[in-house]
Amino acid sequence: MDDILKLAPLEERIYRHRCVEAWSIVVPWIGYSFSTIAKLVEPTPKAKYVAFQSYYDPKQMPQGRWAGIDFPYVEGLRLDEAMNPLALLCVGMYGETLANQDGAPLRMVLPWKYGFKSIKSLVKIRFVGSQPPTTWNLAAPNEYGFYSNVNPNVDHPRWSQAKERRLGEFFKRPTLMFNGYGDQVASLYSGMDLKKNF
Ligand SMILES: Nc1nc2c(c(=O)[nH]1)N[C@H]1C(S)=C(S)[C@@H](COP(=O)(O)O)O[C@H]1N2
Ligand SMILES: [Mo]
């Protein structure tokens, strides 16, 4: 962690956070762009995706067995998504280091995707040639796709994604395409059918 903290100046980034279950919040995260690490690694042209794995010790985390999903939690991004400057390698929030439950010591934050893509407590990052498995896609592939971009036009099979409840507000807000970050990320998906690639 000492080395990781020294790689780039830490930035505070205030991002919208949209849960797949249709609530949202604004969070001041701390970290730097994931691309900083990726550039150090110098992935070969064979690397097309990034695979992330979380910490899991069943002895310390006995309730993991009853979570309803397989642990360790795994996630993935296409390499160009991971290289987007918005993709944050995160070490803190609200001006402090991350609490354990928020993903200490190191997590991802991907503000244009549903919150569950923002994998916490990283222990392994691999640059790989093919699309890596992701936990919620393994658990319920009809409900959670690989991309999981925030999209008000593609509903979850069990609820609408058109609106969201900002925590603390009474009335729902309209959900924004790519959670409002389209200017920065829409080009990553140009020409793709986002209903198929949900
Ligand atoms: N390491 C790890 N990261 C994870 C998960 C997990 O189980 N393990 N769950 C995801 C899901 S489904 C959600 S809803 C959020 C929960 O984050 P919170 O506990 O801070 O609300 O973390 C995401 N990142
Ligand atoms: Mo979740």
Side-chain angles (χ1 to χ4, degrees), residues 4 9 11 34 68 84 89 99-100 108 114 116 129 140 145 169 178 184-185 189:
I4 287 169
E11 303 165 33
F34 176 79
N84 187 279
L89 191 67
N100 287 347
M108 292 299 290
Y114 294 119
F116 68 86
E169 292 181 358
F178 299 116
Q184 286 147 94
V185 300
Y189 312 103

Short mmCIF file of all heavy atoms in Angstrom, two decimals, residues 4 9 11 34 68 84 89 99-100 108 114 116 129 140 145 169 178 184-185 189:
data_model
loop_
_atom_site.label_atom_id
_atom_site.label_comp_id
_atom_site.label_asym_id
_atom_site.label_seq_id
_atom_site.Cartn_x
_atom_site.Cartn_y
_atom_site.Cartn_z
N ILE A 4 1.76 1.89 -3.51
CA ILE A 4 0.60 2.30 -4.31
C ILE A 4 0.24 3.76 -4.01
O ILE A 4 -0.07 4.54 -4.91
CB ILE A 4 -0.59 1.35 -4.04
CG1 ILE A 4 -0.33 0.00 -4.72
CG2 ILE A 4 -1.91 1.95 -4.54
CD1 ILE A 4 -1.28 -1.10 -4.33
N PRO A 9 -0.31 11.63 -7.20
CA PRO A 9 -0.94 12.46 -6.17
C PRO A 9 -2.39 12.02 -5.96
O PRO A 9 -3.10 11.71 -6.93
CB PRO A 9 -0.88 13.88 -6.74
CG PRO A 9 -0.23 13.81 -8.06
CD PRO A 9 0.08 12.38 -8.40
N GLU A 11 -6.24 12.45 -5.38
CA GLU A 11 -7.24 13.45 -5.76
C GLU A 11 -8.54 13.15 -5.03
O GLU A 11 -8.89 11.98 -4.86
CB GLU A 11 -7.54 13.37 -7.27
CG GLU A 11 -6.34 13.54 -8.16
CD GLU A 11 -6.67 13.08 -9.59
OE1 GLU A 11 -7.82 13.24 -10.02
OE2 GLU A 11 -5.76 12.55 -10.24
N PHE A 34 -7.14 4.71 -12.41
CA PHE A 34 -6.60 3.34 -12.53
C PHE A 34 -5.54 3.28 -13.63
O PHE A 34 -4.60 2.48 -13.56
CB PHE A 34 -7.74 2.37 -12.84
CG PHE A 34 -7.26 0.96 -13.09
CD1 PHE A 34 -6.93 0.14 -12.03
CD2 PHE A 34 -7.12 0.49 -14.39
CE1 PHE A 34 -6.46 -1.16 -12.25
CE2 PHE A 34 -6.66 -0.81 -14.63
CZ PHE A 34 -6.35 -1.63 -13.56
N GLY A 68 -25.00 -15.93 -0.59
CA GLY A 68 -25.86 -16.12 -1.76
C GLY A 68 -25.10 -15.93 -3.07
O GLY A 68 -25.64 -16.18 -4.15
N ASN A 84 -10.06 4.50 -19.02
CA ASN A 84 -10.76 5.79 -19.02
C ASN A 84 -10.42 6.55 -17.74
O ASN A 84 -10.46 5.98 -16.65
CB ASN A 84 -12.27 5.57 -19.14
CG ASN A 84 -13.02 6.88 -19.32
OD1 ASN A 84 -13.27 7.59 -18.36
ND2 ASN A 84 -13.32 7.21 -20.56
N LEU A 89 -8.97 4.30 -9.03
CA LEU A 89 -8.40 3.39 -8.05
C LEU A 89 -8.48 4.13 -6.72
O LEU A 89 -7.87 5.18 -6.55
CB LEU A 89 -6.95 3.07 -8.43
CG LEU A 89 -6.29 1.93 -7.66
CD1 LEU A 89 -6.93 0.59 -7.99
CD2 LEU A 89 -4.80 1.89 -7.96
N ALA A 99 -12.83 2.65 5.23
CA ALA A 99 -13.20 1.71 6.28
C ALA A 99 -13.26 0.31 5.67
O ALA A 99 -13.47 0.16 4.47
CB ALA A 99 -14.55 2.10 6.88
N ASN A 100 -13.09 -0.70 6.50
CA ASN A 100 -13.12 -2.08 5.98
C ASN A 100 -14.36 -2.34 5.13
O ASN A 100 -14.28 -2.90 4.04
CB ASN A 100 -13.08 -3.09 7.12
CG ASN A 100 -11.71 -3.17 7.77
OD1 ASN A 100 -10.73 -2.65 7.22
ND2 ASN A 100 -11.64 -3.80 8.92
N MET A 108 -12.08 -0.24 -6.58
CA MET A 108 -12.37 0.52 -7.79
C MET A 108 -13.62 1.39 -7.56
O MET A 108 -14.47 1.05 -6.73
CB MET A 108 -12.64 -0.43 -8.95
CG MET A 108 -11.42 -1.22 -9.41
SD MET A 108 -10.10 -0.16 -10.00
CE MET A 108 -10.80 0.45 -11.53
N TYR A 114 -23.36 0.62 -12.64
CA TYR A 114 -24.06 0.34 -11.39
C TYR A 114 -23.03 0.00 -10.30
O TYR A 114 -21.96 -0.56 -10.58
CB TYR A 114 -25.07 -0.79 -11.59
CG TYR A 114 -26.21 -0.39 -12.51
CD1 TYR A 114 -26.46 -1.05 -13.70
CD2 TYR A 114 -27.01 0.71 -12.18
CE1 TYR A 114 -27.50 -0.66 -14.54
CE2 TYR A 114 -28.05 1.11 -13.01
CZ TYR A 114 -28.28 0.42 -14.20
OH TYR A 114 -29.29 0.83 -15.03
N PHE A 116 -22.42 -2.12 -8.09
CA PHE A 116 -21.80 -3.42 -7.78
C PHE A 116 -20.56 -3.70 -8.61
O PHE A 116 -19.77 -4.59 -8.27
CB PHE A 116 -22.82 -4.56 -7.90
CG PHE A 116 -23.29 -4.85 -9.30
CD1 PHE A 116 -22.58 -5.70 -10.12
CD2 PHE A 116 -24.45 -4.25 -9.80
CE1 PHE A 116 -23.02 -5.97 -11.42
CE2 PHE A 116 -24.90 -4.53 -11.08
CZ PHE A 116 -24.18 -5.38 -11.89
N GLY A 129 -6.66 -11.82 -21.78
CA GLY A 129 -7.01 -11.79 -23.20
C GLY A 129 -8.49 -11.92 -23.48
O GLY A 129 -8.97 -11.49 -24.53
N ALA A 140 -26.62 -14.44 -11.74
CA ALA A 140 -27.91 -14.21 -12.41
C ALA A 140 -27.67 -13.51 -13.75
O ALA A 140 -27.84 -12.30 -13.87
CB ALA A 140 -28.83 -13.36 -11.53
N GLY A 145 -25.51 -8.01 -16.57
CA GLY A 145 -24.59 -8.25 -17.68
C GLY A 145 -23.17 -7.89 -17.31
O GLY A 145 -22.90 -7.37 -16.23
N GLU A 169 -33.87 12.29 -0.43
CA GLU A 169 -34.89 13.04 -1.16
C GLU A 169 -36.19 12.23 -1.22
O GLU A 169 -36.16 11.00 -1.23
CB GLU A 169 -34.41 13.36 -2.59
CG GLU A 169 -33.26 14.36 -2.60
CD GLU A 169 -32.78 14.72 -4.00
OE1 GLU A 169 -33.31 14.17 -4.99
OE2 GLU A 169 -31.87 15.56 -4.10
N PHE A 178 -25.56 6.64 -18.71
CA PHE A 178 -24.19 6.53 -18.17
C PHE A 178 -24.06 7.35 -16.88
O PHE A 178 -22.99 7.89 -16.58
CB PHE A 178 -23.14 6.95 -19.20
CG PHE A 178 -23.13 6.11 -20.45
CD1 PHE A 178 -23.43 6.68 -21.69
CD2 PHE A 178 -22.83 4.75 -20.40
CE1 PHE A 178 -23.42 5.90 -22.85
CE2 PHE A 178 -22.82 3.97 -21.55
CZ PHE A 178 -23.11 4.55 -22.78
N GLN A 184 -17.95 11.62 -21.31
CA GLN A 184 -16.63 11.01 -21.10
C GLN A 184 -16.56 9.54 -21.48
O GLN A 184 -15.46 9.03 -21.74
CB GLN A 184 -16.22 11.20 -19.63
CG GLN A 184 -15.81 12.64 -19.35
CD GLN A 184 -16.15 13.07 -17.93
OE1 GLN A 184 -15.33 12.99 -17.05
NE2 GLN A 184 -17.37 13.51 -17.72
N VAL A 185 -17.70 8.84 -21.51
CA VAL A 185 -17.61 7.39 -21.71
C VAL A 185 -18.44 6.84 -22.86
O VAL A 185 -18.22 5.70 -23.29
CB VAL A 185 -17.97 6.59 -20.42
CG1 VAL A 185 -17.01 6.96 -19.28
CG2 VAL A 185 -19.41 6.81 -20.02
N TYR A 189 -18.67 2.83 -26.22
CA TYR A 189 -19.72 1.87 -26.58
C TYR A 189 -20.38 2.20 -27.91
O TYR A 189 -21.44 1.69 -28.21
CB TYR A 189 -20.77 1.82 -25.44
CG TYR A 189 -20.10 1.68 -24.09
CD1 TYR A 189 -19.98 2.78 -23.24
CD2 TYR A 189 -19.55 0.46 -23.70
CE1 TYR A 189 -19.33 2.66 -22.01
CE2 TYR A 189 -18.90 0.34 -22.48
CZ TYR A 189 -18.80 1.45 -21.64
OH TYR A 189 -18.15 1.32 -20.43
#
